[in-house]
Amino acid sequence: RITELPESIECLTNLQFLGLRYCNWLHNLPNGIGKLQYLRYLDLRGTNLHQVLPSLVNLKQLSTLHGFVVNRKSKREDDPTGWPLEDLKSLDALRSLQILRLERVSDPLRVQEAMLETKSHLKELELCCSNDDRQSEVQEEDAKTLKDVFDCLSPPHCLKSLKIVSYYGKVFPDWLPNLSNLQHLVLTDCKFCEHLPNLGQLTELKFLTITACSKLVTIKQEQTGTGQAFPRLEQLHLRDMPNLESWIGFSSADMPSLVKFRLENCPKLCNLPSGIKNSKVLTSMQLHRMDSLQIIEDLPVLKELVIQACNELQKISNIPLLEVLIVLGCSRLKDVTEVHLSHVRIVDRDIRE
């Protein structure tokens, strides 16, 4: 149990890595950390800092910074519970950055001072808010302010991985569909967003996870003249979206590279995207609590299918290369036809083959 670090840490002049993840009893940091000019890695994830003291502006070689808690003021001494967002301006070597409590920033001009768009080495970025007090609704003004703040963050186009957590704006930031080199995208607990931007135009995107976006009704692909939507997407995971109903604007040529597809707890979604039927590489699909889905069919290369608690599912058909089928708690399933199985596990269901 680490409860404090000594000021003498500044004597470790060649220290490059400092990991303080989930140090639950550590609430303060010594000023000496700000003098470790060769520090490259500082990880504070899961550590509940009550008073952040050291300045980070001189850590010019810092390439990984996780657990950067934002304060409410532009000067550290005015609010020692976090760092001024402006402190990021001088950290040009950053490759991986996690920013917490972004809802504390009310002035978009402060965000511009962080100058994220100039950080040419930044590859991984995680942007987090805390919206525990916004369980059911958000004020229009608060949502607009946060949208403006996020718009001003404007990450560089070299970014390859982005995670947005507990964002409570009603519209995603404008720059999101323009990150041309993005390969990994996670959107989680963005519970007030009603629409997704045109993510299909992210031509380098390989991994997409969207969870707990409870107001999202449709996933829409707008035709932009750039060809297929999600041309390199390999893994797609959607979870805990109680109002998601449909896919709009997708064609049979979209998602040609999809290998793994997972849907969980999307009870109103009644169909699968049309492009997966023509996929030459989709080999694994998992469906949990898809209460409106009635038929799964025409998946030419699928090898593994796991289905659990899909209460309206009635038929599985024309999956000729299927090797593994696991069915749990699908009480209406009657027919499994045109499949050739090497492994099957069906629980509590009398079906006809």
Side-chain angles (χ1 to χ4, degrees), residues 278-289:
N278 296 300
S279 171
K280 300 296 190 293
V281 292
L282 179 63
T283 57
S284 176
M285 185 160 66
Q286 298 184 33
L287 306 173
H288 298 176
R289 298 190 63 82

PDB file of all heavy atoms in Angstrom, residues 278-289:
ATOM      1  N   ASN A 278     -22.087 -11.264 -47.888  1.00  0.00           N
ATOM      2  CA  ASN A 278     -21.160 -11.408 -48.996  1.00  0.00           C
ATOM      3  C   ASN A 278     -19.704 -11.433 -48.539  1.00  0.00           C
ATOM      4  O   ASN A 278     -18.795 -11.431 -49.371  1.00  0.00           O
ATOM      5  CB  ASN A 278     -21.350 -10.267 -49.994  1.00  0.00           C
ATOM      6  CG  ASN A 278     -22.720 -10.311 -50.640  1.00  0.00           C
ATOM      7  OD1 ASN A 278     -23.076 -11.283 -51.287  1.00  0.00           O
ATOM      8  ND2 ASN A 278     -23.497  -9.268 -50.439  1.00  0.00           N
ATOM      9  N   SER A 279     -19.526 -11.462 -47.226  1.00  0.00           N
ATOM     10  CA  SER A 279     -18.163 -11.472 -46.707  1.00  0.00           C
ATOM     11  C   SER A 279     -17.469 -12.783 -47.046  1.00  0.00           C
ATOM     12  O   SER A 279     -18.051 -13.859 -46.920  1.00  0.00           O
ATOM     13  CB  SER A 279     -18.171 -11.269 -45.184  1.00  0.00           C
ATOM     14  OG  SER A 279     -16.884 -11.472 -44.661  1.00  0.00           O
ATOM     15  N   LYS A 280     -16.228 -12.673 -47.429  1.00  0.00           N
ATOM     16  CA  LYS A 280     -15.426 -13.862 -47.736  1.00  0.00           C
ATOM     17  C   LYS A 280     -14.550 -14.269 -46.556  1.00  0.00           C
ATOM     18  O   LYS A 280     -13.827 -15.265 -46.641  1.00  0.00           O
ATOM     19  CB  LYS A 280     -14.536 -13.580 -48.956  1.00  0.00           C
ATOM     20  CG  LYS A 280     -15.298 -13.223 -50.220  1.00  0.00           C
ATOM     21  CD  LYS A 280     -16.159 -14.396 -50.705  1.00  0.00           C
ATOM     22  CE  LYS A 280     -16.725 -14.124 -52.087  1.00  0.00           C
ATOM     23  NZ  LYS A 280     -17.701 -13.028 -52.130  1.00  0.00           N
ATOM     24  N   VAL A 281     -14.615 -13.501 -45.463  1.00  0.00           N
ATOM     25  CA  VAL A 281     -13.704 -13.758 -44.343  1.00  0.00           C
ATOM     26  C   VAL A 281     -14.398 -13.825 -42.980  1.00  0.00           C
ATOM     27  O   VAL A 281     -13.760 -14.117 -41.981  1.00  0.00           O
ATOM     28  CB  VAL A 281     -12.582 -12.689 -44.295  1.00  0.00           C
ATOM     29  CG1 VAL A 281     -11.659 -12.825 -45.484  1.00  0.00           C
ATOM     30  CG2 VAL A 281     -13.166 -11.287 -44.215  1.00  0.00           C
ATOM     31  N   LEU A 282     -15.707 -13.550 -42.906  1.00  0.00           N
ATOM     32  CA  LEU A 282     -16.408 -13.573 -41.620  1.00  0.00           C
ATOM     33  C   LEU A 282     -16.500 -15.006 -41.100  1.00  0.00           C
ATOM     34  O   LEU A 282     -17.251 -15.825 -41.623  1.00  0.00           O
ATOM     35  CB  LEU A 282     -17.814 -12.982 -41.767  1.00  0.00           C
ATOM     36  CG  LEU A 282     -18.662 -12.969 -40.487  1.00  0.00           C
ATOM     37  CD1 LEU A 282     -18.033 -12.086 -39.419  1.00  0.00           C
ATOM     38  CD2 LEU A 282     -20.088 -12.508 -40.783  1.00  0.00           C
ATOM     39  N   THR A 283     -15.743 -15.297 -40.055  1.00  0.00           N
ATOM     40  CA  THR A 283     -15.679 -16.669 -39.552  1.00  0.00           C
ATOM     41  C   THR A 283     -16.264 -16.846 -38.162  1.00  0.00           C
ATOM     42  O   THR A 283     -16.524 -17.985 -37.756  1.00  0.00           O
ATOM     43  CB  THR A 283     -14.219 -17.152 -39.525  1.00  0.00           C
ATOM     44  OG1 THR A 283     -13.434 -16.255 -38.732  1.00  0.00           O
ATOM     45  CG2 THR A 283     -13.645 -17.229 -40.931  1.00  0.00           C
ATOM     46  N   SER A 284     -16.503 -15.765 -37.423  1.00  0.00           N
ATOM     47  CA  SER A 284     -16.998 -15.900 -36.057  1.00  0.00           C
ATOM     48  C   SER A 284     -18.062 -14.855 -35.768  1.00  0.00           C
ATOM     49  O   SER A 284     -17.866 -13.662 -36.045  1.00  0.00           O
ATOM     50  CB  SER A 284     -15.833 -15.746 -35.061  1.00  0.00           C
ATOM     51  OG  SER A 284     -16.298 -15.791 -33.721  1.00  0.00           O
ATOM     52  N   MET A 285     -19.191 -15.313 -35.205  1.00  0.00           N
ATOM     53  CA  MET A 285     -20.263 -14.394 -34.842  1.00  0.00           C
ATOM     54  C   MET A 285     -20.874 -14.824 -33.513  1.00  0.00           C
ATOM     55  O   MET A 285     -21.147 -16.008 -33.300  1.00  0.00           O
ATOM     56  CB  MET A 285     -21.341 -14.349 -35.933  1.00  0.00           C
ATOM     57  CG  MET A 285     -22.419 -13.304 -35.659  1.00  0.00           C
ATOM     58  SD  MET A 285     -23.340 -12.824 -37.141  1.00  0.00           S
ATOM     59  CE  MET A 285     -24.176 -14.351 -37.535  1.00  0.00           C
ATOM     60  N   GLN A 286     -21.066 -13.854 -32.622  1.00  0.00           N
ATOM     61  CA  GLN A 286     -21.683 -14.097 -31.327  1.00  0.00           C
ATOM     62  C   GLN A 286     -22.869 -13.154 -31.150  1.00  0.00           C
ATOM     63  O   GLN A 286     -22.730 -11.941 -31.355  1.00  0.00           O
ATOM     64  CB  GLN A 286     -20.678 -13.897 -30.185  1.00  0.00           C
ATOM     65  CG  GLN A 286     -19.502 -14.843 -30.230  1.00  0.00           C
ATOM     66  CD  GLN A 286     -18.585 -14.683 -29.043  1.00  0.00           C
ATOM     67  OE1 GLN A 286     -19.018 -14.368 -27.930  1.00  0.00           O
ATOM     68  NE2 GLN A 286     -17.299 -14.887 -29.251  1.00  0.00           N
ATOM     69  N   LEU A 287     -24.008 -13.713 -30.772  1.00  0.00           N
ATOM     70  CA  LEU A 287     -25.234 -12.945 -30.588  1.00  0.00           C
ATOM     71  C   LEU A 287     -25.814 -13.259 -29.215  1.00  0.00           C
ATOM     72  O   LEU A 287     -26.164 -14.408 -28.947  1.00  0.00           O
ATOM     73  CB  LEU A 287     -26.246 -13.295 -31.687  1.00  0.00           C
ATOM     74  CG  LEU A 287     -25.758 -13.170 -33.134  1.00  0.00           C
ATOM     75  CD1 LEU A 287     -26.801 -13.719 -34.093  1.00  0.00           C
ATOM     76  CD2 LEU A 287     -25.431 -11.715 -33.470  1.00  0.00           C
ATOM     77  N   HIS A 288     -25.912 -12.239 -28.363  1.00  0.00           N
ATOM     78  CA  HIS A 288     -26.450 -12.423 -27.017  1.00  0.00           C
ATOM     79  C   HIS A 288     -27.592 -11.433 -26.783  1.00  0.00           C
ATOM     80  O   HIS A 288     -27.451 -10.238 -27.045  1.00  0.00           O
ATOM     81  CB  HIS A 288     -25.371 -12.180 -25.958  1.00  0.00           C
ATOM     82  CG  HIS A 288     -24.219 -13.128 -26.024  1.00  0.00           C
ATOM     83  ND1 HIS A 288     -23.122 -13.022 -25.205  1.00  0.00           N
ATOM     84  CD2 HIS A 288     -23.989 -14.206 -26.804  1.00  0.00           C
ATOM     85  CE1 HIS A 288     -22.261 -13.998 -25.481  1.00  0.00           C
ATOM     86  NE2 HIS A 288     -22.769 -14.716 -26.460  1.00  0.00           N
ATOM     87  N   ARG A 289     -28.709 -11.935 -26.348  1.00  0.00           N
ATOM     88  CA  ARG A 289     -29.875 -11.111 -25.996  1.00  0.00           C
ATOM     89  C   ARG A 289     -30.292 -10.199 -27.155  1.00  0.00           C
ATOM     90  O   ARG A 289     -30.502  -8.996 -26.986  1.00  0.00           O
ATOM     91  CB  ARG A 289     -29.611 -10.298 -24.728  1.00  0.00           C
ATOM     92  CG  ARG A 289     -29.340 -11.152 -23.495  1.00  0.00           C
ATOM     93  CD  ARG A 289     -29.333 -10.323 -22.226  1.00  0.00           C
ATOM     94  NE  ARG A 289     -30.643  -9.708 -21.999  1.00  0.00           N
ATOM     95  CZ  ARG A 289     -31.689 -10.323 -21.444  1.00  0.00           C
ATOM     96  NH1 ARG A 289     -31.581 -11.588 -21.059  1.00  0.00           N
ATOM     97  NH2 ARG A 289     -32.825  -9.686 -21.259  1.00  0.00           N
TER      98      ARG A 289
END
